[in-house]
Amino acid sequence: QVQLVESGGGLVQAGGSLRLSCAASGRTFSYGMGWFRQAPGKEREFVAAISRSGGSTVYADSVKGRFTISRDNAKNTVYLQMNSLKPEDTAVYYCAADPKYDSSRNSRTYDYWGQGTQVTVSS
């Protein structure tokens, strides 16, 4: 069983930066980890994912070049550095753990989810 707790969300102006953290209980080094987001009235969408070792990452086209996912297995923590934020990045951001696959874009492969953290980008 894995428990995930996100932090680091908040209100930021367009062009600004935020760093999200996802602290995990349990052996997260054995899980692929991902970030997803859900804006009001929209479906949850993939943002970024990272392999167990941290050696492989994938990103949604909408955030590529602006967001960076990383992990520290010694601290059981996954990060999402978000730069050049845009109003369309406004959403609740969730981290998730995938016991089967590395770097999956598919939310259905993730078994464990955090409660989410709100990110609001003002124009």
Side-chain angles (χ1 to χ4, degrees):
Q1 189 78 8
V2 175
Q3 291 185 327
L4 305 172
V5 179
E6 302 96 335
S7 61
L11 173 64
V12 64
Q13 288 188 332
S17 298
L18 283 174
R19 188 195 197 201
L20 305 183
S21 298
C22 174
S25 64
R27 302 170 60 181
T28 56
F29 60 81
S30 61
Y31 294 85
M33 299 295 293
W35 285 96
F36 292 78
R37 67 187 182 187
Q38 188 166 19
K42 295 187 176 181
E43 293 188 354
R44 189 172 297 187
E45 66 173 358
F46 169 78
V47 175
I50 189 166
S51 62
R52 289 164 177 78
S53 68
S56 176
T57 57
V58 292
Y59 297 92
D61 288 344
S62 59
V63 307
K64 198 174 296 182
R66 299 188 298 122
F67 291 11
T68 302
I69 187 172
S70 61
R71 67 190 296 164
D72 185 339
N73 286 340
K75 295 182 178 180
N76 281 346
T77 303
V78 178
Y79 305 97
L80 186 68
Q81 177 67 44
M82 305 186 296
N83 298 329
S84 302
L85 282 161
K86 305 175 181 180
E88 51 263 44
D89 294 319
T90 295
V92 177
Y93 283 70
Y94 300 89
C95 74
D98 183 349
K100 300 183 183 67
Y101 302 102
D102 272 343
S103 310
S104 171
R105 297 172 179 264
N106 187 348
S107 63
R108 295 191 186 96
T109 68
Y110 290 82
D111 286 355
Y112 305 102
W113 293 81
Q115 83 289 347
T117 185
Q118 177 70 46
V119 171
T120 303
V121 184
S122 63
S123 57

